[in-house]
Amino acid sequence: MRPQIVTILTLLLFLMNGISMLGQSSTASSGPPPPAQRTPVDLPIDGSVYLLLIAGLVYGVYLIIKNKRVSDTHS
């Protein structure tokens, strides 16, 4: 009997949820207010790409030199 009760309660909850969603007003005045008109903010997204590229190259050269020194001492 318990599985039937769980099934019936689940079905009842899903139906009540659907009824409450369909019962809402669909007029234009009940919707959210329009968003405020703002000017877009200009962000310098690609302003420092060259600095990051140079920093990556310097770090790569550093790692190569470091690994080369370690491998030379073990040989």
Side-chain angles (χ1 to χ4, degrees):
M1 184 70 180
R2 181 166 165 78
Q4 285 180 338
I5 292 174
V6 172
T7 305
I8 291 171
L9 285 176
T10 304
L11 181 63
L12 185 65
L13 287 173
F14 278 117
L15 287 174
M16 290 306 224
N17 187 24
I19 290 171
S20 66
M21 292 174 98
L22 292 173
Q24 294 181 2
S25 175
S26 63
T27 61
S29 64
S30 66
Q37 298 294 328
R38 293 191 226 163
T39 57
V41 178
D42 295 330
L43 296 176
I45 293 175
D46 60 347
S48 300
V49 172
Y50 299 115
L51 293 175
L52 289 174
L53 182 64
I54 292 170
L57 287 173
V58 169
Y59 184 64
V61 169
Y62 167 74
L63 288 178
I64 290 171
I65 292 172
K66 182 179 173 184
N67 288 337
K68 193 170 192 175
R69 284 185 186 170
V70 169
S71 65
D72 286 343
T73 59
H74 290 301
S75 297

